[in-house]
Amino acid sequence: MSGLTIVGAGPAGASAAIGARHADPSLEVTLLDRADFPRDKACGDGVAPHVLDLLAEVGVTGLLDDREPVTTLSLTRGGRGVERTMARPAYVVPRAILDGRLVEAAQAAGATLVRRRVRSLAELDDAAVVVGADGAHSVVRTALGRPRGPVALAIRGYAPTPADQRGTQRIAFGAHGDVQPTYAWSFDRGDGLANVGYGELLRDGRAAPTKARLIERLEELLPGSTAAGTDWVGHHLPLSTSRWHPADGRVLLVGDAAGLVNPMTGEGIFYAVATGLAAGRAAAEAIAVGDPDSAGGRYARATRPLLARHLRHTALASRLCRSGRVLDAGLRASARDQRVFDDLVELGLARGRVTPALARALVASYLSPSSTKEKP
């Protein structure tokens, strides 16, 4: 059998290629994608600094040096909110740019990019190891018989950034009887435009909201954000759960294909890059020792310390956030304490957890509710 074949060349797939070639520069790595690059992709476009840390470990540096960092995060629900400077700036990068640069990095590392649509896992029988990085509607996941967990539906567009919101990521949570979590966002790209959108959890037995309804809900939560908006695209978000059990064998799932999207925030780029790099390394190691079937076990051992505890904490936090009162408590606690705010950011953007300090602050805030809007 030949080397590593990766289905999907988004951040997860490109990272798998980079990770594999970094582990074994002689390994044959093929990236398959149905699209030409650069290409657009529906997403919130947020890139946490932790993503750049992971890429730097495999020699990919300077990827976003020409992009404007975003330093401020604003969180609101109804009449209360908090706005603070993040411990580390993030970036808002259209996927046409981010994905294109990651694919170029993978090619520079020695991977081969081939435009090809994969419709069946049987087409890839000649590969020693296969990585499924083909997104929310993954053909590879379906072929493995792996179920998809809870799913959210979101819409994304681009609109002019108001002058008073430059350098800011804004998230407005639903209120007034909404079943959480629902939220709207406006993320300044730093180039005069903002990525604006709205997402909500799809519920069994209920019809999915229409495009018009999603845009209407965005405007309700962030008035004026849809003005002059263009490029509206809807997309599904396969949300992570408390359990992370990669399958054994020579077929691995990463990123959205593995159902790895933060259920609190909808963030998926960190998971995509983290699992992609881990899968690439695991595949390279398994092929190098002549045992491709050991790739799954190697991948599980590599990702368990990274994600197992974190996913349990995000699942718990997501369930708690379905209560508006808990959300309000979190906003109040974040307004009172920068450390609590920083812990929440880590939990929502990377591999954070519910720290003792965060838990204590949430309980204290929950037990002493206030109707006053608080800001630092």
Side-chain angles (χ1 to χ4, degrees):
M1 291 186 290
S2 60
L4 170 63
T5 296
I6 302 164
V7 184
S15 296
I18 293 166
R21 290 287 298 184
H22 186 263
D24 182 356
S26 67
L27 180 64
E28 178 185 344
V29 177
T30 304
L31 268 171
L32 305 178
D33 200 285
R34 63 183 182 180
D36 286 324
F37 286 78
R39 56 97 176 95
D40 186 28
K41 198 76 172 179
C43 181
D45 294 344
V47 181
H50 313 72
V51 171
L52 303 182
D53 296 341
L54 291 172
L55 291 170
E57 293 175 3
V58 290
V60 179
T61 59
L63 194 73
L64 302 180
D65 282 356
D66 62 337
R67 303 296 301 184
E68 191 71 23
V70 178
T71 59
T72 303
L73 176 64
S74 168
L75 304 172
T76 59
R77 180 177 184 266
R80 58 174 56 86
V82 55
E83 182 175 302
R84 286 187 178 275
T85 299
M86 292 181 284
R88 299 175 66 192
Y91 294 84
V92 181
V93 186
R95 291 286 297 275
I97 295 174
L98 177 67
D99 293 17
R101 291 181 180 182
L102 284 172
V103 164
E104 290 175 356
Q107 291 176 295
T112 301
L113 176 66
V114 177
R115 183 177 182 184
R116 175 180 166 187
R117 186 183 190 116
V118 175
R119 293 181 171 85
S120 167
L121 193 55
E123 300 173 27
L124 309 175
D125 282 346
D126 61 338
V129 176
V130 173
V131 171
D134 48 340
H137 304 285
S138 172
V139 170
V140 178
R141 184 193 64 243
T142 300
L144 289 177
R146 304 279 287 188
R148 188 169 71 173
V151 177
L153 178 64
I155 193 164
R156 177 230 72 188
Y158 293 114
T161 305
D164 63 346
Q165 294 170 22
R166 291 174 184 163
T168 300
Q169 290 182 306
R170 301 171 64 210
I171 294 177
F173 294 96
H176 309 303
D178 286 334
V179 178
Q180 300 299 337
T182 68
Y183 68 87
W185 71 83
S186 176
F187 297 164
D188 179 30
R189 294 180 3 179
D191 58 3
L193 293 176
N195 180 308
V196 296
Y198 168 81
E200 64 180 50
L201 183 68
L202 291 179
R203 297 169 182 88
D204 293 338
R206 293 190 184 184
T210 64
K211 175 181 177 181
R213 180 55 179 160
L214 293 172
I215 294 176
E216 179 183 339
R217 292 290 286 132
L218 166 59
E219 183 64 25
E220 289 173 0
L221 292 176
L222 289 175
S225 61
T226 64
T230 61
D231 299 312
W232 297 105
V233 183
H235 58 292
H236 288 97
L237 302 172
L239 305 178
S240 64
T241 64
S242 60
R243 298 181 180 181
W244 169 237
H245 298 301
D248 290 333
R250 64 184 191 91
V251 182
L252 317 179
L253 295 173
V254 295
D256 283 15
L260 290 174
V261 173
N262 192 302
M264 291 177 56
T265 61
E267 199 285 333
I269 300 298
F270 173 80
Y271 295 152
V273 172
T275 57
L277 292 173
R281 294 189 188 104
E285 293 167 0
I287 294 170
V289 299
D291 186 10
D293 285 333
S294 71
R298 295 171 185 272
Y299 177 48
R301 289 190 292 275
T303 53
R304 192 174 297 116
L306 179 72
L307 292 177
R309 188 178 185 189
H310 165 76
L311 293 179
R312 290 196 297 270
H313 283 232
T314 55
L316 172 61
S318 178
R319 289 195 297 272
L320 292 174
C321 285
R322 295 181 185 181
S323 161
R325 187 176 171 187
V326 172
L327 265 176
D328 291 344
L331 294 177
R332 288 194 302 272
S334 296
R336 293 168 181 162
D337 192 330
Q338 178 73 44
R339 294 169 300 175
V340 173
F341 179 84
D342 292 340
D343 285 347
L344 280 174
V345 171
E346 286 287 307
L347 188 64
L349 296 185
R351 55 176 297 187
R353 59 187 178 87
V354 180
T355 63
L358 174 57
R360 287 194 298 269
L362 285 173
V363 170
S365 184
Y366 186 87
L367 295 177
S368 58
S370 167
S371 60
T372 303
K373 183 176 181 179
E374 300 179 61
K375 286 197 177 185

